Amino acid sequence: MHCLDYASRVGFQSPSKGLDRFQSVFKISRKTFNYICSLVEESMMVKTGGFSFTSGKNLSLHDQVAIALRRLSSGDSLMTIGDSCGLHHSTVSQVTWRFVEALEERGLQHLQWPSSEADIAKIKSKFQKIQGLPNCCGVVDTTHVMMCLPSSDPTSNVWLDQEKNHSMILQAIVDPEMRFRDIVTGWPGKMEDWLVFQSSNFCKMCDKGERLNGKRLELSEGSEMGEYIIGDSGYPLLPYLMTPYEGKELPQFKAEFNRRHSVTQMVAQRALARLKDMWKIIQGVMWRPDKHKLPRIILVCCLLHNIVIDLEDEVQEEMPSFHDHDSGYHQQICGTLDIKGVHLRDELSLYLSRKLPPGF
């Protein structure tokens, strides 16, 4: 059965009957599918070299997008998808890569840091509604995309991480609606979370005062808290990056801060878990991927994740809510504490607990 017929039978020709099957195959609604087609059409169709089924029939734009989405969402092998659609496996590979290039070129507006004060204010308000953290602009977390590399690969040891897997890092800063606002990928999986963050453009912009530089919050008389993001213990404590307190028998105000922090941190955990669950090409162990192309595939999966959110796709409602995105990986501990960051975290914790001592 050709992919054109395949797409038609799961919904293109029967709006009421085929909806559920269409969504189960492509992981998105037809409205979102059509939007993605409109995004990539110009880039995909102007390039020379058409594609065809083994029967000789040419692939339409819808066919090509359907094939690429099937590959990215199922994680099935090129052979499996080719056999089910009447295509040579090399055609599946080329069509998928053309789609990746096109969406990377045309869809970057779906993954960007909010540009207006009003957008930032909405994000801060929604974060505060989760567990009361004021002036919070994002949650940072890291996951690993695992790869199967041949022992003959001279670079295989470079990609071997602490858990003895070959992997590539994805670091993401997430907003309260689980939308990716900033990502870093391409680094080997053995690179520690704090070092990935420190190497990021986001961190460098924060250090220069070009990011998280909006409205400040008065915590107490003479004390203000700037905008910040939160991260787990794998990250350094900085004036603009709040991490949890370490230790067990903590004072009540510190334990309460950790509780609020942990619940809010789950937004990023759920976003990364949903990303991998929906775009399964990066969920399991990828078979000998091109390590130069993989970061771009990861980026496009993040773009698709955000498009589903931006278009308020109904498939979101059917997605399971879980937060285990890095099974088998242990929590990293950074331990780096910036003195100003320590002071601000204490003041924020006291502000939240409403136990500010007199004259503090």
Side-chain angles (χ1 to χ4, degrees):
M1 176 169 61
H2 290 167
C3 257
L4 177 64
D5 300 328
Y6 175 64
S8 299
R9 291 183 193 184
V10 294
F12 281 133
Q13 303 299 329
S14 86
S16 57
K17 196 174 178 184
L19 181 62
D20 290 343
R21 181 139 182 248
F22 183 94
Q23 291 184 175
S24 71
V25 171
F26 296 110
K27 301 294 182 76
I28 54 174
S29 67
R30 279 170 297 183
K31 179 187 80 170
T32 302
F33 180 89
N34 289 334
Y35 171 75
I36 292 169
C37 287
S38 71
L39 263 187
V40 300
E41 180 174 12
E42 187 176 342
S43 293
M44 289 188 75
M45 302 311 282
V46 296
K47 292 189 178 179
T48 55
F51 299 108
S52 59
F53 293 105
T54 51
S55 66
K57 184 178 177 64
N58 288 334
L59 272 71
S60 68
L61 171 70
H62 279 196
D63 292 329
Q64 293 181 47
V65 173
I67 291 160
L69 290 177
R70 167 87 186 275
R71 169 82 171 128
L72 297 173
S73 64
S74 70
D76 289 343
S77 70
L78 299 172
M79 288 285 197
T80 299
I81 295 170
D83 289 347
S84 68
C85 296
L87 293 163
H88 193 274
H89 67 88
S90 64
T91 304
V92 177
S93 176
Q94 291 170 50
V95 165
T96 303
W97 185 244
R98 181 174 286 190
F99 173 81
V100 166
E101 289 181 311
L103 193 59
E104 186 181 37
E105 181 183 340
R106 299 286 176 172
L108 287 179
Q109 69 274 19
H110 286 282
L111 203 165
Q112 57 186 355
W113 192 254
S115 56
S116 73
E117 195 174 299
D119 288 342
I120 283 283
K122 286 178 188 175
I123 286 172
K124 291 195 279 193
S125 174
K126 287 177 181 177
F127 268 126
Q128 189 159 2
K129 285 175 182 174
I130 295 174
Q131 276 295 316
L133 292 182
N135 232 30
C136 178
C137 297
V139 184
V140 64
D141 204 355
T142 298
T143 196
H144 293 79
V145 177
M146 291 192 287
M147 307 178 281
C148 179
L149 301 181
S151 56
S152 59
D153 186 333
T155 68
S156 62
N157 284 340
V158 173
W159 300 95
L160 197 63
D161 61 34
Q162 295 90 334
E163 305 299 335
K164 307 302 179 188
N165 300 314
H166 293 106
S167 67
M168 184 177 285
I169 286 282
L170 166 62
Q171 177 190 272
I173 299 175
V174 180
D175 75 12
E177 295 178 310
M178 295 194 281
R179 187 184 285 105
F180 298 119
R181 290 294 186 168
D182 186 279
I183 69 162
V184 176
T185 190
W187 293 107
K190 64 182 175 185
M191 195 163 169
E192 293 174 308
D193 294 353
W194 67 269
L195 192 53
V196 175
F197 181 77
Q198 190 179 70
S199 304
S200 70
N201 191 47
F202 184 91
C203 178
K204 291 169 185 172
M205 291 181 74
C206 289
D207 287 339
K208 291 177 186 174
E210 297 171 0
R211 186 72 88 225
L212 299 177
N213 56 356
K215 286 189 176 179
R216 302 178 68 80
L217 172 74
E218 185 176 338
L219 296 176
S220 62
E221 191 175 341
S223 175
E224 288 184 331
M225 181 86 187
E227 294 176 339
Y228 61 92
I229 61 174
I230 68 168
D232 63 27
S233 301
Y235 292 93
L237 174 63
L238 302 169
Y240 55 83
L241 174 49
M242 294 287 105
T243 58
Y245 290 98
E246 293 298 317
K248 292 185 178 178
E249 295 183 13
L250 295 169
Q252 185 179 349
F253 77 98
K254 292 185 177 182
E256 175 63 15
F257 174 82
N258 277 7
R259 185 191 68 79
R260 293 173 187 261
H261 186 288
S262 176
V263 174
T264 309
Q265 180 76 31
M266 284 184 187
V267 173
Q269 294 168 359
R270 284 197 294 269
L272 289 169
R274 177 183 287 188
L275 173 75
K276 286 186 168 182
D277 183 63
M278 192 165 183
W279 307 105
K280 288 185 167 60
I281 193 168
I282 59 171
Q283 182 187 57
V285 180
M286 296 187 73
W287 178 254
R288 301 185 178 184
D290 182 326
K291 294 179 287 295
H292 299 290
K293 289 183 175 180
L294 181 54
R296 297 170 70 180
I297 292 170
I298 294 170
L299 166 61
V300 162
C301 289
C302 291
L303 289 173
L304 289 166
H305 169 99
N306 281 4
I307 287 170
V308 167
I309 296 171
D310 290 343
L311 268 65
E312 300 178 348
D313 196 312
E314 57 265 34
V315 297
Q316 294 180 90
E317 299 169 10
E318 300 166 17
M319 293 179 192
S321 180
F322 55 92
H323 55 267
D324 185 9
H325 60 83
D326 230 4
S327 183
Y329 283 85
H330 296 91
Q331 174 64 57
Q332 296 180 19
I333 305 294
C334 174
T336 300
L337 306 173
D338 175 273
I339 297 300
K340 189 178 178 185
V342 170
H343 179 67
L344 284 171
R345 183 176 63 180
D346 285 346
E347 291 207 349
L348 178 59
S349 300
L350 289 165
Y351 171 86
L352 289 167
S353 68
R354 300 179 183 275
K355 290 183 178 179
L356 286 169
F360 189 82

